[in-house]
Amino acid sequence: HCGRHMSVSYSGRSKERLACDMTRNQWGEKQCQSFNAKSLSDLAQSLLLQAIAPASIELSLQAFANLDQDRRVIERQHMQSVERAQYESDVAYRRYEEVDPSNRLVAAELERRWEQTLREKKATEETLDRFRSQHQEKLTPSRVSQIEKLSSDIPRLWNAETTTGIDRQTIFRALVECIVVETVGRTEYVHLTIRWSGGFESRHRIMKPVLRFEWLESAPEIRKLIQRRKGEGKTHAEVSAELNREGYHSARCSAFTPVIVSSLIKQFRAEENVKPEERELASWGLRDLAHELGLRKETLNTWRRRGWVHAMKESTRWTFWADEEELKRLRKLVDHNRQGLQKTPTKLTTPIINHPQKNA
């Protein structure tokens, strides 16, 4: 979104996360974007292994051979230019030598032409020298055979325990110049542009887990399908199977299961039972609300303990409650400049609304 570099962080062996935090860290603005990087890592690895697969290696060797042939053609053209310039220089010299010295004007003109051909000859020779100095490594038959043999073992070598992360980075950076990442709002989709060495760009779309079902791009269609099929008396297993056949996915970007369908049905029923005056009340996960406010999760947790924001523990997670009016208050609290030990105004730290279950 902003053109800056994203940073990676790890939580365990398989939980890498990409985040663009520069504007937040330097100027206190909201976080630009962040997402679980596993899907990007898997895609990048798959594309890289395709790029160095035996079939791709064969094409690359053929392309290298074609480039070598083209190089010889260009070199021959440069050599012909040098030969032509040498011939024209020799002709100009003979004409200059044959002129009558007493005819000064003609002699001066022929001398000027001879010097011009000498300069052109020198320029063509320098061009040929520069071209030859651009060394292109030769691929001997033995080296080609070695490359072809290694290419069939690349997936095994790539995943071997002896292959370090630095080894993989070195290979990857030799093939890829950069990856441009753009999350699509709060949906599960991420747009990627991979710029490969040599200038080619490939475009892809991957998915990332989202915290709420409503953020799925296809959430309205999924909801209608579930409610329609349950109205027809279908089982959870039948509904989940149909969702998977239609190509839908859950908020975790996984296939639907009867358990997930059952959970969504409960969620839909709970939403239908909410009183009209309470329907504007929005629930947030810790990470989600922190992202919305541009805060660190630790700061938001501190606010929760102080009672500055309403939250309720559900199972092992905290659910925060904030509608648009409450979000305005929290944003003012974020923007409030606390100097020294001065007390934060009570109107900024007092929640406007209460959790609906607390009012029951």
Side-chain angles (χ1 to χ4, degrees), residues 45-61 147-148 150-155 175:
Q45 177 174 298
S46 173
L47 293 174
L48 183 139
L49 292 178
Q50 289 179 27
I52 53 180
S56 300
I57 292 294
E58 182 178 354
L59 290 174
S60 298
L61 291 174
I147 291 173
E148 291 174 341
L150 287 173
S151 66
S152 61
D153 293 334
I154 285 176
L175 297 177

Side-chain angles (χ1 to χ4, degrees), residues 56-299:
S56 300
I57 292 294
E58 182 178 354
L59 290 174
S60 298
L61 291 174
Q62 182 60 47
F64 193 92
N66 293 339
L67 287 174
D68 188 57
Q69 183 177 359
D70 293 342
R71 183 180 177 83
R72 288 196 296 271
V73 171
I74 295 173
E75 183 178 11
R76 186 161 57 250
Q77 291 173 349
H78 284 308
M79 292 175 63
Q80 290 173 350
S81 296
V82 172
E83 292 173 357
R84 186 164 50 252
Q86 179 66 55
Y87 170 78
E88 292 175 354
S89 176
D90 292 342
V91 170
Y93 174 72
R94 287 197 301 272
R95 288 174 179 173
Y96 172 72
E97 285 293 313
E98 292 171 359
V99 71
D100 185 354
S102 62
N103 194 340
R104 296 181 179 179
L105 290 177
V106 175
E109 176 62 20
L110 291 176
E111 183 180 16
R112 185 191 66 77
R113 293 181 181 181
W114 176 37
E115 291 176 350
Q116 177 63 29
T117 58
L118 288 174
R119 287 194 294 269
E120 292 175 355
K121 174 176 173 291
K122 182 179 180 181
T124 57
E125 290 174 341
E126 290 176 349
T127 301
L128 177 60
D129 291 340
R130 282 197 301 271
F131 180 80
R132 286 174 170 171
S133 65
Q134 298 171 358
H135 177 69
Q136 179 172 314
E137 189 174 0
K138 300 294 183 180
L139 286 180
T140 62
S142 61
R143 296 197 66 183
V144 170
S145 176
Q146 184 181 16
I147 291 173
E148 291 174 341
K149 181 180 178 180
L150 287 173
S151 66
S152 61
D153 293 334
I154 285 176
R156 181 179 60 82
L157 293 171
W158 182 268
N159 296 302
E161 293 183 358
T162 54
T163 303
T164 66
I166 295 178
D167 294 332
R168 296 187 183 95
Q169 286 180 357
T170 302
I171 296 172
F172 190 80
R173 289 173 179 171
L175 297 177
V176 176
E177 290 182 4
C178 70
I179 300 179
V180 181
V181 180
E182 181 182 3
T183 56
V184 184
R186 290 180 175 176
T187 70
E188 70 274 29
Y189 291 111
V190 179
H191 290 166
L192 303 174
T193 300
I194 302 180
R195 191 172 302 146
W196 299 83
S197 297
F200 175 72
E201 290 187 354
S202 59
R203 303 183 186 277
H204 312 271
R205 187 170 77 160
I206 60 174
M207 294 188 298
K208 60 178 176 65
V210 294
L211 296 177
R212 302 173 64 181
F213 166 78
E214 294 80 8
W215 292 356
L216 290 175
E217 189 176 71
S218 303
E221 293 86 350
I222 295 173
R223 181 171 186 147
K224 290 179 182 178
L225 191 152
I226 292 176
Q227 292 176 331
R228 184 169 61 251
R229 292 295 180 255
K230 291 304 296 182
E232 296 171 357
K234 301 289 186 181
T235 65
H236 293 350
E238 290 173 330
V239 175
S240 62
E242 182 174 353
L243 287 169
N244 293 329
R245 284 197 304 271
E246 294 294 327
Y248 294 115
H249 50 264
S250 70
R252 307 306 298 171
C253 295
S254 60
F256 278 96
T257 64
V259 174
I260 295 177
V261 172
S262 175
S263 176
L264 287 175
I265 291 173
K266 292 178 181 177
Q267 176 182 330
F268 299 157
R269 288 174 180 169
E271 291 172 356
E272 291 171 357
N273 293 330
V274 174
K275 296 178 182 180
E277 62 271 17
E278 296 173 347
R279 287 188 180 175
E280 294 300 321
L281 192 63
S283 61
W284 304 78
L286 171 63
R287 185 174 64 188
D288 177 42
L289 184 56
H291 179 272
E292 178 69 20
L293 298 173
L295 284 175
R296 292 171 57 87
K297 292 186 293 184
E298 295 78 5
T299 302

Side-chain angles (χ1 to χ4, degrees), residues 6-19 21 31 34-38 297:
M6 300 184 75
S7 58
V8 63
S9 59
Y10 298 90
S11 175
R13 287 181 57 85
S14 60
K15 293 184 179 180
E16 61 266 34
R17 187 169 187 81
L18 282 171
D21 285 326
Q31 185 184 62
S34 67
F35 65 97
N36 186 302
K38 186 178 186 305
K297 292 186 293 184

